[in-house]
């Protein structure tokens, strides 16, 4: 049996199913490239049959990824598998991941199919998927609540049909680590090396990572996980926790290893948080804001004397070198470029120029520039959505609860100006934008956060807006001024909406 644990990242598929985490194609592409830098083995890029937008995202990622297996999810139907196969066709390395539920409750109430029909459908799905690519993964949805003898029967049939990976998800996060480990051990013994055994654990009882690690010890050789543990409901197993546990406890995991470049963990976590607007909880293991800060005097004293008194992993090992001030007003283009490379960004010369100008503007307003500022600034630059509406100028005033905003916005080469009153400045700004675009939006979520330290920290605003009664769209804005950041965020959502409308 191999010593390598295959890391299958599903941030772009299961992660995107987190409430409020929907992403557009350029955002997904940016994440895909970072996942490749992180050293993920298989990336589930989406569910191609779900919508045109999903198909497009899987297809774009398939075109651009080079060293990573790109995967699309597909239900066990011809239509889904065909969409997955077509979206993946440009990929160098591709995988179709097809699934059907195998638990009594799912088969009876959801599928309304008998176990024999389920086996037949699964075999047909794997055989059809094999006509598009050799690498086919089959999942027994809700394996955690399925009968072990039925799991053996269906797995035998799909392995005969050519499935190379058998995934056994605890879809509802029900199992305890010892139970799940025992189930995986039985299945590993039964499958006996004819396919890779994989797990996909949900976190409803807070055990997704523990269950994944227990499965690894029982012989699973692929773990499906997401960055920051995002995903349906309580989320999935967090990639960074699974990887760092295996790395830190070599004594328990023997010769097992992953190929993850751990220094890319922190940058990846920041990118996902900034694109989805979902911040990890402060006490989140590995990537939470407080994961490496020591509050108690006794702990601080210990760490100063010898780091390992209270730290079992180093901040450097996950790429959290120092979030110290690195650049300022007098830093040149060369230093800026070096910094970007050290943070994992490789921009083409146009993007580099724009980012450098933005950096100079920021350095004029803000004394100290931190790594997180640069990360935010650059991810803003890389994620390019055509600017149908662009902020030119904003003027605001407020007294008590009544506020007014006047704005100039560039649209199709013309500058349009207007003003409005509102309940608070942000409300006034959003009203002006609605008036200028003629597209009315309802604000569903509004969040302000500071990107780095200091009174003059860069403000990041995330909004979720429902335009014309359609699905909510996210927008992000970055500025030293919170109201300008709010205007940019709302315009960002509007621009995404306009782009989606024309897709
Ligand atoms: Zn899932």
């Amino acid at each position: 049996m191999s010593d390598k644990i295959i890391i299958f990242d599903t941030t772009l598929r299961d992660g995107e199913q987190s409430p409020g985490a929907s992403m557009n194609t350029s955002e997904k592409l940016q994440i895909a490239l970072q996942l490749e830098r992180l050293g993920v083995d298989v990336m589930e890029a989406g569910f191609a049959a779900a919508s045109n937008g999903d198909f497009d995202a899987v297809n774009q990622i398939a075109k651009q990824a080079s060293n990573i297996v790109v995967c699309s999810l597909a239900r066990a139907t011809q239509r889904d598998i065909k969409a997955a196969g077509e979206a993946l066709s440009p990929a160098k390395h591709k995988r179709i991941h097809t699934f059907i539920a195998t638990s009594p409750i799912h088969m009876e109430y959801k599928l309304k199919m008998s176990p024999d029909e389920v086996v037949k459908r699964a075999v047909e799905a794997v055989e059809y998927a094999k006509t598009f690519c050799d690498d086919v993964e089959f999942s027994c949805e809700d394996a955690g609540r399925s009968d072990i003898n039925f799991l053996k029967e269906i797995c035998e049939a799909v392995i005969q049909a050519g499935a190379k990976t058998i995934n056994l998800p605890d879809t509802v996060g029900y199992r305890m680590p010892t139970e799940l480990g025992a189930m995986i051990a039985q299945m590993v013994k039964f499958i006996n090396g004819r396919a890779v055994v994989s797990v996909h654990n949900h976190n409803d009882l807070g055990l997704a990572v523990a269950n994944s690690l227990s499965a690894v010890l029982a012989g699973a050789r692929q773990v499906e996980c997401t960055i920051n543990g995002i995903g349906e409901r309580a989320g999935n197993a967090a990639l960074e926790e699974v990887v760092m546990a295996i790395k830190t406890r070599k004594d328990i995991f023997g010769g097992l290893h992953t190929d993850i470049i751990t220094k890319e963990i922190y940058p990846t976590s920041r990118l996902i948080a900034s694109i989805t607007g979902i911040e990890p909880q402060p006490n989140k293991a590995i990537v939470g804001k407080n994961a490496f800060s020591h509050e108690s005097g006794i702990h601080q004293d210990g760490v100063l004397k010898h780091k390992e008194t209270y730290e079992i992993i180093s901040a450097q090992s996950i790429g959290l070198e120092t979030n110290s001030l690195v650049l300022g007003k007098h830093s040149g283009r060369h230093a800026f470029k070096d910094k970007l490379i050290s943070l994992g960004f490789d921009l083409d010369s146009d993007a580099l120029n724009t980012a450098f100008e933005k950096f100079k503007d920021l350095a004029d307003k803000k004394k100290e520039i931190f790594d997180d500022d640069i990360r935010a600034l650059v991810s803003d630059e890389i994620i390019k959505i055509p600017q149908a509406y662009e902020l030119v100028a904003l003027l605001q005033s407020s007294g008590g609860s009544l506020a007014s905003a006047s704005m100039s916005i560039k649209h199709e080469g013309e500058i349009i100006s207007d003003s409005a009153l509102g309940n608070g400045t942000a409300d006034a700004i959003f009203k002006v934008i609605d008036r200028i675009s003629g597209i009315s939006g309802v604000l569903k979520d509004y969040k302000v956060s500071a990107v780095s330290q200091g009174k003059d920290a860069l403000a990041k605003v995330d909004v979720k807006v429902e335009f014309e009664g359609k699905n909510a769209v996210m927008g992000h804005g970055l500025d030293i001024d919170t109201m300008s950041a709010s205007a940019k965020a709302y315009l960002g959502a509007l621009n995404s909406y306009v782009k989606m409308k024309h897709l």
Side-chain angles (χ1 to χ4, degrees), residues 448-497:
V448 183
S449 50
V451 168
S452 59
Q453 302 103 301
K455 268 190 228 144
D456 58 355
L458 205 51
K460 178 166 182 287
V461 173
D462 299 296
V463 295
K464 215 158 102 185
V465 192
E466 236 176 60
F467 291 103
E468 301 178 317
K470 303 271 168 53
N471 276 349
V473 187
M474 305 253 309
H476 320 286
L478 205 63
D479 201 285
I480 195 134
D481 173 69
T482 309
M483 285 307 136
S484 299
S486 304
K488 286 180 186 170
Y490 196 90
L491 284 167
L494 176 65
N495 288 330
S496 291
Y497 175 70

Side-chain angles (χ1 to χ4, degrees), residues 328-381:
K329 209 176 157 130
H330 303 291
S331 306
R333 180 187 302 265
H334 198 78
F336 181 67
K337 196 180 170 188
D338 282 353
K339 187 75 216 173
L340 288 188
I341 291 168
S342 80
L343 293 175
F345 293 107
D346 187 12
L347 302 194
D348 64 35
S349 67
D350 276 358
L352 180 70
N353 286 342
T354 325
F356 186 64
E357 272 168 41
K358 281 191 181 173
F359 160 71
K360 281 298 202 190
D361 282 350
L362 182 64
D364 275 339
K365 297 178 198 153
K366 189 174 187 297
K367 254 203 310 224
E368 303 171 323
I369 300 199
F370 297 93
D371 285 2
D372 282 345
D373 291 322
I374 294 176
R375 261 187 210 111
L377 196 122
V378 173
S379 38
D380 206 37
E381 176 50 37

Side-chain angles (χ1 to χ4, degrees), residues 13-14 200 202 236:
R13 201 277 300 164
D14 208 316
H200 176 114
H202 276 271
N236 286 67

Side-chain angles (χ1 to χ4, degrees), residues 7-20:
I7 296 294
F8 176 113
D9 178 278
T10 183
T11 304
L12 294 171
R13 201 277 300 164
D14 208 316
E16 204 205 9
Q17 288 169 225
S18 311

